[in-house]
Amino acid sequence: MSTYLLVHGAWHSGRCWERVVPLLASAGHRVVAPSLTGYGDKAHLLGPEVGLDTHVDDIVGLITEEDLTEVVLVGHSYAGLVISSAANEVPDRIAHLVYLDAMVPEDGESAADVQPMTQALIDRAVKSDSGWRVPPLPEMPPPAGLFGVTDPADVAWLRTMLSDQPVRCLQQSVRLDNPAVNTIPRTHIHCTVGVPEGIARRPIPAIQPNGTPAQVWELATGHDCMITMPAELAGLLLKFG
């Protein structure tokens, strides 16, 4: 039995995994899908002081407090930054890193370094009345939709879990200075449909940091594949448990 720790991306909450969790659990695995500080059941904690470091502490704290080991740590979108720094803190507890249509940083990089279009979001937030709120990206015509979701019922459900993102999440830098983190196997899953203009995906090096060939999978769906293709996503994730 493995433990799957599913980390949602910016603006979302742990509820976005509701269609995937039972599929992994029915295969006999433990599945944890928390909401990060400022989202879901922690929405009341949203504030300008919340940043990437806060979210890393959320995940590291959960892993250590629950004494989780052999963790398949899955990060969607922005959470690629979160799982990278979390693995840097507790590499001995992580069995596999899964970057799900995610930002893949190097040591010392922020969201703006990995995804340059993020800088425009940062600039607008800093100049806004709040000085720190980054609102969710707007819905676009299909196939881009709302984070790749186009079905009207699914879009309505997704809207119920979206919150503003604190700008510090996009400004703070990832720490990847623990050599042990490089020994952890990695897998990348790319969603190939409805990628918005301006979104750039870095090429994945042919060789992973641990010296093995890169593992890259594709899902022919939009960004929020846990909503649009839960069974197919679960099938991929089960390969790593």
Side-chain angles (χ1 to χ4, degrees):
M1 183 183 75
S2 297
T3 295
Y4 284 84
L5 177 45
L6 311 177
V7 187
H8 65 82
W11 302 295
H12 291 56
S13 78
R15 289 176 55 213
C16 70
W17 302 103
E18 284 184 2
R19 298 175 180 176
V20 174
V21 169
L23 301 177
L24 298 177
S26 66
H29 300 290
R30 181 177 183 182
V31 189
V32 186
S35 290
L36 299 171
T37 296
Y39 305 96
D41 59 347
K42 302 181 182 70
H44 61 288
L45 300 175
L46 185 71
E49 72 285 350
V50 174
L52 172 61
D53 292 348
T54 312
H55 293 159
V56 173
D57 289 345
D58 288 341
I59 298 305
V60 173
L62 175 62
I63 290 171
T64 55
E65 289 164 17
E66 297 290 328
D67 195 23
L68 304 181
T69 57
E70 295 298 311
V71 174
V72 179
L73 185 56
V74 182
H76 179 240
S77 196
Y78 152 78
L81 308 181
V82 179
I83 67 169
S84 296
S85 278
N88 192 72
E89 297 298 315
V90 287
D92 56 311
R93 293 178 176 267
I94 310 302
H96 207 108
L97 288 170
V98 181
Y99 291 87
L100 179 58
D101 219 32
M103 296 183 182
V104 185
E106 301 291 341
D107 182 39
E109 289 189 324
S110 69
D113 295 313
V114 181
Q115 188 58 257
M117 63 82 64
T118 305
Q119 188 60 51
L121 303 179
I122 294 171
D123 293 343
R124 284 200 292 269
V126 170
K127 295 174 183 176
S128 70
D129 291 342
S130 71
W132 61 273
R133 287 181 176 269
V134 182
L137 297 179
E139 184 177 0
M140 294 180 284
L146 184 63
F147 297 102
V149 178
T150 57
D151 178 82
D154 286 346
V155 168
W157 180 59
L158 174 56
R159 287 191 185 282
T160 67
M161 67 185 82
L162 296 180
S163 304
D164 290 348
Q165 177 90 342
V167 72
R168 283 172 63 87
C169 298
L170 308 179
Q171 293 172 315
Q172 290 184 323
S173 300
V174 167
R175 287 189 59 190
L176 278 172
D177 55 1
N178 184 344
V181 78
N182 292 328
T183 66
I184 303 171
R186 298 182 175 193
T187 295
H188 305 266
I189 301 175
H190 295 162
C191 299
T192 60
V193 174
V195 179
E197 185 176 348
I199 298 292
R201 179 179 289 130
R202 284 180 169 177
I204 302 300
I207 302 299
Q208 298 189 66
N210 68 356
T212 62
Q215 299 293 318
V216 183
W217 299 79
E218 292 186 346
L219 288 173
T221 191
H223 185 56
D224 277 5
C225 57
M226 71 288 291
I227 295 174
T228 59
M229 273 194 174
E232 293 84 350
L233 173 58
L236 283 180
L237 295 178
L238 287 171
K239 295 177 182 292
F240 321 131

